[in-house]
């Protein structure tokens, strides 16, 4: 049932937010010359997919987990995108095509071996990764792999339509944050 909601809401989001997406793309061109960032992430059943985000770091910044990134790599516009969570909007496309869900564990990089191990032990890769989830609204990021995997697992165990809408609502109205930057 949530897949139907994912398709419907991501389509509506892409259509109605398209003017904002276009403005952010144009500003992004002036900021970095390359407004869309694509990165291979671990998806459902540990299959790779290309996550899309608005670029918030310089083009030559190393491809590492956000909590390992240096704050000087983030552009001024990128800082705004992250704080406002607008950097996540292109992921609506990932949701629409089925790589992600609106709600699920945040997709990690393949080089985050400790997190992959912890999540694999707890069956986290049995579901689609999401734009938001229980860990995000509780300010748990990828810098604490075991706690993140446990939180993701707890969300999956208790997941239903009510939890889906509750986590979306809490995210839209400002609960939680992105991964911390060192």
């Amino acid at each position: 049932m949530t897949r139907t909601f994912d398709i419907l809401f991501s389509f509506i989001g892409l259509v109605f937010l398209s003017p904002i997406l276009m403005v952010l793309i144009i500003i992004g061109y002036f900021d970095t010359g390359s407004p869309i960032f694509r990165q291979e992430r671990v998806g459902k059943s540990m299959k790779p997919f290309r996550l899309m985000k608005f670029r918030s770091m310089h083009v030559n910044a190393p491809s590492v987990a956000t909590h390992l990134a240096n704050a000087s790599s983030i552009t001024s516009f990128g800082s705004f995108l992250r704080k406002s969570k607008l950097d996540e909007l292109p992921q609506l496309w990932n949701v629409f095509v089925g790589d992600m869900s609106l709600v699920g564990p945040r997709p990690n990089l393949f080089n985050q071996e400790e997190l992959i191990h912890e999540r694999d032990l707890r069956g986290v890769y049995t579901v689609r990764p999401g734009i938001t989830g229980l860990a995000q609204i509780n300010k748990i990021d990828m810098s604490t792999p075991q706690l993140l995997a446990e939180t993701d697992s707890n969300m999956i165990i208790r997941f239903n339509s009510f939890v889906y809408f509750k986590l979306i609502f809490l995210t839209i109205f400002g609960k939680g944050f992105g991964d911390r930057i060192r």
Side-chain angles (χ1 to χ4, degrees):
M1 186 64 176
T2 58
R3 180 68 191 133
T4 303
F5 291 135
D6 281 343
I7 294 168
L8 179 65
F9 296 148
S10 62
F11 178 77
I12 291 169
L14 287 166
V15 170
F16 285 104
L17 296 173
S18 60
I20 294 170
L21 292 166
M22 293 309 296
V23 168
L24 295 175
I25 287 171
I26 292 166
I27 295 170
Y29 270 116
F30 287 106
D31 186 47
T32 64
S34 177
I36 302 292
F37 175 71
R38 292 172 189 84
Q39 186 178 55
E40 189 171 86
R41 298 285 181 108
V42 181
K44 183 178 178 181
S45 303
M46 297 183 78
K47 292 182 180 165
F49 75 98
R50 304 285 289 174
L51 177 111
M52 294 176 55
K53 290 179 88 167
F54 280 121
R55 184 178 299 280
S56 60
M57 298 177 145
H58 297 287
V59 175
N60 59 354
S63 183
V64 296
T66 301
H67 70 279
L68 298 175
N70 192 316
S72 65
S73 299
I74 300 172
T75 67
S76 297
F77 181 61
S79 180
F80 162 75
L81 288 173
R82 284 172 177 242
K83 286 178 185 169
S84 64
K85 300 179 186 168
L86 293 172
D87 64 323
E88 309 282 347
L89 286 180
Q91 290 174 53
L92 290 172
W93 179 254
N94 289 114
V95 173
F96 185 72
V97 299
D99 293 329
M100 294 177 69
S101 174
L102 289 174
V103 177
R106 287 294 297 153
N108 56 275
L109 298 166
F110 277 94
N111 64 4
Q112 292 177 280
E113 294 171 7
E114 184 180 356
L115 180 56
I116 289 172
H117 173 74
E118 294 291 340
R119 282 180 160 177
D120 194 32
L121 284 175
R122 292 167 178 80
V124 173
Y125 296 113
T126 61
V127 300
R128 283 184 181 90
I131 294 176
T132 192
L134 184 61
Q136 287 66 44
I137 64 150
N138 286 300
K139 301 181 179 181
I140 300 168
D141 67 14
M142 293 184 183
S143 66
T144 55
Q146 184 177 350
L147 178 60
L148 178 58
E150 289 169 356
T151 305
D152 291 338
S153 177
N154 288 334
M155 176 183 64
I156 292 166
I157 291 166
R158 293 170 177 76
F159 196 79
N160 58 39
S161 294
F162 175 76
V163 170
Y164 176 88
F165 285 106
K166 177 182 174 184
L167 293 173
I168 290 172
F169 177 81
L170 289 171
T171 301
I172 289 171
F173 291 101
K175 183 133 170 81
F177 71 115
D179 287 342
R180 67 181 171 88
I181 303 288
R182 62 181 172 115

